[in-house]
Amino acid sequence: MAGQYILAFDQGTTSSRSILFNHAGDIVATAQQEFEQIFPQPGWVEHNAEEIWTSQRATAKAVLEKANATHADVAAIGITNQRETAVVWNRTTGKPIHNAIVWQCRRTTEICEALTAAGHSDTIRQKTGLVVDAYFTGTKIQWILDTVPGAREAAEKGDLCYGTIDAWLLYNLTGRHATDYSNASRTMLFNIHDLDWDEELLTLLKVPRAGLPEACPSSHTFGSTTVLGGEIPVASLIGDQQGALFGQAAFNPGESKNTYGTGCFLLSNTGTTAVTSENGLLTTIAWGVNDTVVYALEGSIFVGGAVIQWLRDALELIQSANETEALATAVEDNGGVYLVPAFTGLGAPWWDMRARGVITGLTRGASKAHIIRAALESIAYQSCDVLHTMEKDTGKAISRLKVDGGACANNFLMQFQADILDVPVERGQVLETTALGAAFLAGLAVGFWRDTSELEGIWQLDRAFVPNMSQDKRNQLLTEWNRAVNKAKSD
Ligand code: ADP
């Protein structure tokens, strides 16, 4: 077979990256380029879509150079991307008609409030698995069509294309206007049960169907590109969090992953069933592979590793996040100290946006190490609350937790996570799981890898953290944590 590598594009919120993987799933080379964050008003976030494309293309060229490779060494390209960000462009010229509106952007909050006030939340939730929120793509497209002069008429005539970043990159690479189910499921326009754009939602959000991409399975040959000097198939599109779940080889129902970054992102595979959460979690499409669509429950934690940044930057208790592991293990336990980092409210399962952070249980004996330990533990408790909510929603126990993201380097945190959850926590050798997921999906599509059981063999364990805490102790800690959470709540 032609090509000994898979080239993954990881188009993130602050940088574009290209990573070359070999057949063993090892990273051969990486290249990265940051791009501009545009803040036109408080709460608004944009990217220059052209710059997203040119930075992505530049890193692709750079990574081949670094590996001393050419297009002929690449069996396929897989794309994973920042989710929900909206791009609208002219079908003929290929030029964006407005900056991309980034997932973080709050400008469509009022549109969302109006949808909720008009009683559409249940319909939207039932069809899309999402809560009505400005995060998602649909209202961002609506805003561009309503704001750019002539855009709505052009959209109705079919002269515009719109979609998420995967669709924008694919269009630039191949000329085809398509997306995958995982990205489509974040738009608030896509019916995750019928696997099609939903007429009722398109009418509600005033988004003409003519400009939407064709929704396809995630692992699939979308087309081919010559931008790297010769033909290469583009064989996967996948949203970043779903990409990480696939890259963690979490192929079976109950398998879950947690990404410990600034915030935490938890996804749990629910198989071919789209489970509706009773507790405000999102239902999302994980991927479509081989005519099968797999769903996931998704929960996020607003303040994860960010609590460590706060210790460093606001309290100046530490100089670097790396110090926290030694400090936390220097004390026997948390000394009764609990820190609830509800800086911006509490998410699942509490949903109290007016909650604020607290530190409880302070005594004269409480030291810096106790507070640092409490901060690390708070990341694990919050993750535990979300995973328990997922278990409640699915009625099934989570079997093990795969982990990635910057803070998963902290061994204390990982062991405490295993202890408090009472499930093994597994850290893989490749921490670039998002890109690996895109590579796996592309490799499957072109026969570079045979099937998911081969991929399970490629996923290599770095370290497993096995639960080592009595049930009594666990219950006691969780009770104390819950008491602290109650103090953080607004009422
Ligand atoms: P993001 O992709 O959200 O920017 P990363 O995956 O790069 O985040 O992870 C960075 C986050 O992880 C930061 O919030 C940082 O405070 C935290 N972090 C990094 N290393 C450690 C560590 N050893 N212990 C605890 N937290 C850490």
Side-chain angles (χ1 to χ4, degrees), residues 65 100 133 139 166 198 225 236 247 267 271 277 304 313 342 380 387 425 439 450 457 471:
E65 253 170 52
D133 192 276
T139 58
D166 55 309
D198 188 277
T225 185
S236 73
L267 265 77
S277 173
D313 303 337
L387 282 162
V425 166
R450 200 180 51 249
Q471 190 59 39

Side-chain angles (χ1 to χ4, degrees), residues 259-263 304-306 308-309 321-322 324 376 379 405-407 409-410 413:
T259 301
Y260 298 81
T262 309
I308 305 301
Q309 293 166 16
N322 297 333
T324 58
L376 287 171
I379 303 174
N410 191 308
L413 172 60

Side-chain angles (χ1 to χ4, degrees), residues 47-222:
H47 292 156
N48 177 335
E50 298 264 35
E51 195 186 356
I52 285 190
W53 161 238
T54 53
S55 62
Q56 189 62 62
R57 186 180 55 192
T59 63
K61 289 181 176 164
V63 83
L64 289 186
E65 253 170 52
K66 276 193 187 177
N68 209 6
T70 71
H71 68 87
D73 297 304
V74 179
I77 291 172
I79 300 176
T80 185
N81 56 285
Q82 54 166 316
R83 302 181 302 174
E84 294 119 10
T85 298
V87 190
V88 180
W89 67 96
N90 181 298
R91 189 183 293 278
T92 314
T93 65
K95 297 287 170 218
I97 66 162
H98 192 276
N99 276 337
I101 301 185
V102 179
W103 58 275
Q104 297 150 322
C105 187
R106 305 306 299 168
R107 83 183 63 189
T108 58
T109 302
E110 278 177 19
I111 301 179
C112 291
E113 285 169 354
L115 286 169
T116 305
H120 297 302
S121 310
D122 285 348
T123 307
I124 290 177
R125 175 161 204 91
Q126 187 267 323
K127 291 184 169 197
T128 68
L130 305 174
V131 296
V132 178
D133 192 276
Y135 267 138
F136 304 111
T137 324
T139 58
K140 298 180 196 291
I141 296 174
Q142 179 182 2
W143 188 94
I144 295 176
L145 297 185
D146 281 338
T147 307
V148 176
R152 182 159 293 289
E153 298 70 42
E156 268 151 18
K157 280 197 288 175
D159 292 345
L160 298 181
C161 293
Y162 22 85
T164 38
I165 294 292
D166 55 309
W168 168 242
L169 293 177
L170 181 74
Y171 181 87
N172 280 286
L173 285 162
T174 68
R176 182 173 175 203
H177 189 33
T179 188
D180 91 298
Y181 298 147
S182 74
N183 277 294
S185 74
R186 313 299 296 185
T187 59
M188 226 165 83
L189 299 169
F190 194 69
N191 189 312
I192 61 172
H193 313 285
D194 302 348
L195 305 180
D196 194 8
W197 307 109
D198 188 277
E199 279 310 326
E200 186 184 354
L201 299 180
L202 297 184
T203 306
L204 212 52
L205 272 73
K206 301 196 238 61
V207 173
R209 182 184 270 268
L212 284 163
E214 182 188 349
C216 303
S218 319
S219 174
H220 149 91
T221 299
F222 286 85

